[in-house]
Amino acid sequence: MIAALRCIALALLLCSPVACTQESADEELAVDILAELIAINTAPSGGNDTRAAVAALVGHLRTAGFGDDEIFVLAETEKLANLVVRYPSREPAQKPLLLMAHLDVVEAKREDWSVNPFVLTEREGFYYGRGATDNKAGAAMLIANFIRLRREGFEPDRDLVIMLTADEESTGNAAQWLLAQHRALVDAEFALNTDGGLVMFRDGAPRAFLMQTAEKIFVSFTFEATDPGGHSSLPRADSAISRLARALVDLHHHRFPIDLNETTRAFLTRSAALASPDDKVLLEALVGDRRDDEFEERLAAAPYYNALARTTCVATQLSGGHAENALPQTARAVVNCRVLPQSSAAAAKASLEELATPHAVTVTQVAEAKPSPPSPLDEKIVGPLSKLASEMWPGIVVIPEMSTGATDGLFVRRVGIPVYGVSAIAMDPDDIRAHGRDERISERAFHDAQEFWYRLVKAYSAR
């Protein structure tokens, strides 16, 4: 009904009834696909199983005329089904374009939500449901747009490839496996990721188009202190827990050096023009190296800007002792680090060892880090995107962004394919609900993002 009313308004202003009816049908298809995907529980409570979601999408694609040589269901393990869809060019003049999303979601408990998280609910101009933004909306838009392009008979000058992965929210093994075992199928000049970036709204107006071009490196370490132990009635001058505690206090006070890369410098410089007066002063000092004695305290009070400017490490888990009446033989903490992409896990570990060793605390890396280089701000890529963003949101500023978290994009960057996170979903940064209660996307934001992706793909591939 909402789509129909929107269509009537557009028909009066912009388009013929036939054209507007088709636009409404394209929008409704995307919503139908989103509703199907949300209804399929791909969270841990659903068995971390993406097979039904893939099957539903394959059904839509086959109905639209996509054949066996264009649809590929691939899986390293039975439940973790990935979907790759190729829209071939008859006469390719450029390397393929890769379009990314993921089908798995984090857990959502019914008792925590005001609606059923696994039923798409329309309420007050929003679509609610787990995956409404992260990231089933992206998958729905990509598939619906491929169907639209096929119906229109669009002939690209390069192959278009959709890659929908199965475990981005956990290990990311699906993306790594696809890239290792089926590289030729998903290889591309560059990739566009629906799982990154946003259109930042403030006070109901678009302020900035955030384009994710880099991600920090995820790596964890254990801090461990050991001791022979003994009876708690005979405490000695030191204990494993005491030594670990002192090492963690030193970690708390430690600040890694500020180190801006191309993406973060551009982000902070352009953000300063949109920031509040206080934030503007902070950002200008950060970018311009004009840092007084109070600068570090002001930066520490702004966690997001602080995380963009430097590597961060924080204790996230603690364990120790084996009985309440015994001196602890072991005390252990997990320290999670988000390392700048131009740095390394080894450099972070060396800094942590300098803090821990004086307290007889050892530092051990938990798992291999997976660094990914920032994607270059190539005008060939940034130019068309900026032009389209300005057309859809007049006056908007395109700002490159480094994510403090991680997506499947990091695995794609690692094999030499630049990745740009351009979800184009409009939202207020203070109302981002991904991974949280009552995740939602505004109806207008969903349809605008779908249209943006449709036009963007054509801008990069039209003859």
Side-chain angles (χ1 to χ4, degrees):
M1 181 66 178
I2 293 170
L5 292 174
R6 182 170 180 264
C7 179
I8 292 169
L10 285 170
L12 295 174
L13 296 173
L14 301 173
C15 58
S16 69
V18 172
C20 200
T21 299
Q22 188 58 62
E23 178 185 345
S24 177
D26 293 330
E27 290 184 351
E28 289 174 1
L29 174 62
V31 175
D32 288 345
I33 293 174
L34 178 61
E36 284 184 78
L37 291 178
I38 286 176
I40 299 168
N41 183 355
T42 55
S45 60
N48 292 117
D49 191 336
T50 58
R51 289 174 295 181
V54 167
L57 296 177
V58 168
H60 285 286
L61 291 164
R62 291 198 184 283
T63 298
F66 285 82
D68 291 341
D69 58 342
E70 298 169 312
I71 300 172
F72 304 87
V73 179
L74 305 163
E76 182 180 17
T77 62
E78 183 181 4
K79 291 184 178 181
L80 296 180
N82 308 289
L83 178 62
V84 176
V85 188
R86 293 188 69 92
Y87 191 117
S89 170
R90 292 184 182 180
E91 299 179 0
Q94 304 183 75
K95 287 186 66 176
L97 171 61
L98 181 63
L99 311 171
M100 299 172 55
H102 64 86
L103 296 172
D104 60 316
V105 295
V106 299
E107 193 56 84
K109 296 182 178 179
R110 177 65 184 91
E111 59 269 26
D112 294 338
W113 285 52
S114 66
V115 297
N116 188 332
F118 297 109
V119 174
L120 183 71
T121 302
E122 297 182 45
R123 190 171 73 186
E124 298 176 348
F126 288 88
Y127 298 125
Y128 287 77
R130 177 56 87 217
T133 56
D134 189 13
N135 176 237
K136 288 180 174 179
M141 289 186 288
L142 294 181
I143 295 297
N145 282 346
F146 258 33
I147 291 171
R148 177 180 177 182
L149 292 170
R150 177 56 56 87
R151 173 180 52 77
E152 293 174 346
F154 177 65
E155 294 189 6
D157 71 350
R158 67 196 328 156
D159 287 0
L160 307 175
V161 185
I162 292 175
M163 182 176 77
L164 305 183
T165 51
D167 63 354
E168 188 273 348
E169 298 291 4
S170 51
T171 65
N173 285 340
Q176 296 177 79
W177 178 79
L178 280 172
L179 291 161
Q181 302 298 321
H182 301 278
R183 173 64 183 269
L185 194 61
V186 297
D187 197 22
E189 179 182 356
F190 63 95
L192 302 175
N193 191 359
T194 63
D195 192 27
L198 57 87
V199 175
M200 184 175 72
F201 260 58
R202 289 288 193 190
D203 301 321
R207 301 296 302 278
F209 187 108
L210 301 187
M211 175 181 62
Q212 185 219 69
T213 60
E215 301 175 55
K216 295 182 88 172
I217 305 166
F218 178 103
V219 61
S220 291
F221 301 90
T222 57
F223 276 28
E224 186 173 83
T226 59
D227 189 85
H231 202 286
S232 62
S233 65
L234 299 171
R236 295 189 295 276
D238 219 342
S239 74
I241 288 177
S242 297
R243 287 185 281 117
L244 176 64
R246 287 197 293 273
L248 293 179
V249 169
D250 285 353
L251 171 66
H252 171 73
H253 291 294
H254 178 72
R255 288 170 177 149
F256 287 83
I258 291 172
D259 183 12
L260 304 183
N261 55 44
E262 181 188 26
T263 291
T264 53
R265 185 171 293 279
F267 174 85
L268 295 168
T269 299
R270 298 178 194 178
S271 295
L274 306 173
S276 67
D278 287 345
D279 281 355
K280 183 176 182 179
V281 171
L282 175 65
L283 297 181
E284 289 178 344
L286 178 57
V287 174
D289 295 329
R290 299 188 300 273
R291 302 164 193 166
D292 56 27
D293 294 340
E294 298 178 355
F295 171 81
E296 280 291 354
E297 295 304 321
R298 287 185 283 122
L299 183 60
Y304 178 57
Y305 296 138
N306 183 67
L308 291 176
R310 54 167 43 108
T311 291
T312 60
C313 294
V314 62
T316 54
Q317 291 179 299
L318 280 172
S319 61
H322 57 285
E324 66 176 297
N325 59 349
L327 299 177
Q329 293 173 283
T330 303
R332 183 182 294 110
V334 174
V335 174
N336 179 247
C337 296
R338 304 300 175 114
V339 181
L340 291 171
Q342 65 269 31
S343 185
S344 66
K349 183 181 181 184
S351 295
L352 296 180
E353 286 176 333
E354 288 183 11
L355 300 173
T357 299
H359 304 290
V361 171
T362 61
V363 178
T364 304
Q365 188 168 326
V366 173
E368 178 189 3
K370 295 180 172 60
S372 64
S375 299
L377 300 179
D378 186 342
E379 181 58 26
K380 178 183 176 182
I381 297 168
V382 177
L385 185 146
S386 299
K387 181 176 182 293
L388 178 57
S390 295
E391 291 172 358
M392 292 196 62
W393 298 278
I396 202 166
V397 179
V398 175
I399 303 178
E401 173 202 31
M402 180 184 72
S403 174
T404 57
T407 72
D408 278 342
L410 76 90
F411 306 116
V412 179
R413 288 190 184 97
R414 277 173 60 81
V415 300
I417 302 173
V419 181
Y420 302 87
V422 289
S423 80
I425 294 173
M427 62 181 71
D428 188 321
D430 295 329
D431 190 40
I432 294 176
R433 303 187 183 188
H435 291 206
R437 178 181 183 270
D438 286 353
E439 181 180 352
R440 67 182 187 176
I441 183 173
S442 83
E443 295 175 9
R444 177 179 177 183
F446 179 73
H447 296 306
D448 283 350
Q450 179 190 1
E451 181 66 17
F452 176 87
W453 275 86
Y454 168 78
R455 297 188 198 177
L456 187 65
V457 169
K458 294 187 75 171
Y460 288 128
S461 60
R463 293 189 181 278

